[in-house]
Amino acid sequence: MSKNIHFTPGPSALYFTVEQHIRTALREQIPELSHRSKVFSNIIEETIKSLRALLKVPNGYHMVFTSSATEIWERSIQGLVENESYHLVNGSFSARYHAIASQLGINALKQEAELGNCPDYKDVSITDKTELISITQNETSTGVAFPLEDIYAIRKQFPNPLIAVDVVSATPYINLDISKIDMVYFSVQKCFGLPSGLGVWIYNDRCLELANRRNYEGKITGTYHSLTSLHKSMQKFQTPETPNMLNIYLLGQVAKDMINKGIDKIRQETDYKSALLYNLFETHGKLTPFVKDKAVRSSTVAVATVADGSASLINNLSNSGLVVGSGYGANKNNHIRVANFPTHSKEQMELLVDHINKWT
Ligand SMILES: *Cc1c(COP(=O)(O)O)cnc(C)c1O
């Protein structure tokens, strides 16, 4: 049986080198090591180093591992917010961060855009009580991308609150200037093309000092993980718990592969494949791009509305081994969502576009 190609927006196709790296990891017995051993802390150190280079993480910014991006939503509110957070909501993932903040009992405010649009940052009602602003750079549920220039404009206008940016389904494609924000985070099963179950949290000294102070004051900033405990363990390239060792190893290897390939090349290829997809959506009789405003269309998750519903197209493609995502939430039955991640080759994307073109 030939393999399926997963264009689903996470989990998605594994990065094309992952299988080889898993074999190497098993041969070298990496999952059998003690997570407190020198050999394994060297692996953590190497992964951190490679990621810092790939993502151009500036000095004064730190990196720790969590179980997922979802965990970072909880830990960031617990560690960094006393009373009030503000969420720019443009779909299900940004809404979930807001909901978690509410559940944790803080005053979580939001500005919500209609699905398929981006909240206009000029309408925000951020006050001097706002401690953290949440922005979802790439909203995987709708295919809306928050323009980087708007993120930088928010920074300029609001220097005091922390700015937290979700780049789960955009990094390392997106060329974010990390020095302009306070924390950024992702999980690895989207653009990085790895198995799920690992989150990466990058944060600056402001975040760290805040979390440490709240911790010192006796606030609950997390249980098995808090920013303070994660940071402290990472000084020895360790984690408080037994981590997802295999994935930490794989992430380091894939980050190196991406550096060797060249991040510029990865970005150019992504732009090329994204143009193919949106051109298809605009010219196909039964498809229309869900995001009308080209300025906020995601390059890495393209969403189309399918006339008469998306089930028949999704089935048709899957019969040929091409797996695309269905819609999210309310749009489950009338959208397709197509991941355009670094592992999806030009040839694979051309094959998918060809197939959809032939479907009527
Ligand atoms: C997938 C996703 C998440 C959640 O990731 P988990 O690994 O399930 O925690 C958060 N934000 C965005 C934008 C996502 O696409």
Side-chain angles (χ1 to χ4, degrees):
M1 202 182 90
S2 67
K3 275 191 174 179
N4 289 329
I5 306 174
H6 287 97
F7 293 95
T8 35
S12 193
L14 293 179
Y15 197 69
F16 61 94
T17 57
V18 166
E19 189 173 331
Q20 196 53 48
H21 292 314
I22 291 177
R23 285 180 207 284
T24 306
L26 295 181
R27 198 173 58 236
E28 294 181 3
Q29 295 180 287
I30 287 169
E32 299 175 37
L33 294 172
S34 161
H35 60 297
R36 302 287 174 225
S37 65
K38 185 67 188 153
V39 187
F40 189 68
S41 57
N42 287 344
I43 289 175
I44 292 194
E45 185 173 6
E46 211 178 306
T47 297
I48 297 268
K49 246 197 195 155
S50 303
L51 269 183
R52 289 192 80 99
L54 178 69
L55 304 177
K56 300 201 168 56
V57 178
N59 287 335
Y61 284 72
H62 316 280
M63 193 184 294
V64 290
F65 299 121
T66 63
S67 70
S68 66
T70 304
E71 188 196 339
I72 297 166
W73 288 333
E74 177 163 304
R75 300 290 167 243
S76 58
I77 297 296
Q78 289 174 319
L80 307 175
V81 182
E82 183 77 32
N83 294 307
E84 191 168 301
S85 61
Y86 192 96
H87 302 255
L88 291 154
V89 173
N90 50 353
S92 305
F93 290 101
S94 37
R96 183 98 176 89
Y97 193 4
H98 171 263
I100 285 178
S102 290
Q103 280 173 359
L104 288 170
I106 66 158
N107 186 24
L109 306 172
K110 66 175 166 180
Q111 184 194 329
E112 206 161 355
E114 228 178 278
L115 288 185
N117 291 315
C118 203
D120 189 337
Y121 76 92
K122 294 187 198 80
D123 298 337
V124 295
S125 49
I126 289 161
T127 67
D128 49 8
K129 287 203 197 119
T130 302
E131 295 155 67
L132 179 143
I133 304 170
S134 146
I135 300 167
T136 304
Q137 198 282 320
N138 200 66
E139 182 41 89
T140 318
S141 65
T142 57
V144 170
F146 207 98
L148 295 181
E149 292 314 316
D150 289 2
I151 296 177
Y152 305 151
I154 293 173
R155 164 85 303 161
K156 249 195 169 152
Q157 204 179 337
F158 304 102
N160 288 328
L162 299 174
I163 297 182
V165 182
D166 178 331
V167 292
V168 174
S169 53
T171 199
Y173 163 76
I174 199 77
N175 192 5
L176 175 70
D177 180 352
I178 295 175
S179 73
K180 289 201 162 75
I181 53 150
D182 300 285
M183 62 167 258
V184 56
Y185 58 95
F186 57 93
S187 13
V188 299
Q189 74 276 20
K190 314 249 167 122
C191 252
F192 270 98
L194 287 161
S196 61
L198 183 66
V200 177
W201 189 0
I202 299 168
Y203 52 92
N204 63 10
D205 287 328
R206 275 179 84 194
C207 295
L208 180 63
E209 281 156 22
L210 245 173
N212 284 347
R213 190 170 76 225
R214 285 176 54 69
N215 196 52
Y216 179 78
E217 287 167 354
K219 310 268 165 54
I220 294 174
T221 60
T223 52
Y224 83 110
H225 277 167
S226 67
L227 191 59
T228 302
S229 70
L230 287 163
H231 184 86
K232 194 165 166 231
S233 294
M234 192 51 91
Q235 301 317 296
K236 293 180 289 181
F237 297 105
Q238 291 192 5
T239 50
E241 84 295 16
T242 320
N244 189 335
M245 293 169 52
L246 178 60
N247 232 355
I248 290 173
Y249 167 77
L250 296 175
L251 177 59
Q253 298 303 312
V254 166
K256 266 193 245 171
D257 292 338
M258 288 178 168
I259 291 170
N260 290 338
K261 173 158 183 168
I263 191 67
D264 291 339
K265 182 146 188 244
I266 289 175
R267 288 176 179 145
Q268 282 160 13
E269 287 180 2
T270 306
D271 290 339
Y272 168 82
K273 292 179 290 160
S274 160
L276 284 184
L277 277 173
Y278 284 109
N279 181 56
L280 166 75
F281 294 173
E282 276 170 347
T283 54
H284 193 288
K286 284 196 169 175
L287 302 181
T288 40
F290 179 54
V291 179
K292 301 288 174 255
D293 179 359
K294 288 183 182 168
V296 300
R297 273 183 195 165
S298 165
S299 302
T300 48
V301 181
V303 179
T305 308
V306 187
D308 315 323
S310 54
S312 129
L313 173 58
I314 290 172
N315 286 335
N316 179 289
L317 292 171
S318 93
N319 288 337
S320 303
L322 303 170
V323 188
V324 301
S326 62
Y328 207 95
N331 286 305
K332 183 163 179 43
N333 298 320
N334 49 25
H335 282 179
I336 53 164
R337 291 180 305 141
V338 182
N340 173 29
F341 293 156
T343 198
H344 297 116
S345 68
K346 289 184 197 175
E347 292 72 23
Q348 289 175 335
M349 198 57 83
E350 284 161 358
L351 183 71
L352 177 71
V353 167
D354 251 22
H355 260 83
I356 299 180
N357 259 325
K358 285 188 196 129
W359 172 80
T360 46

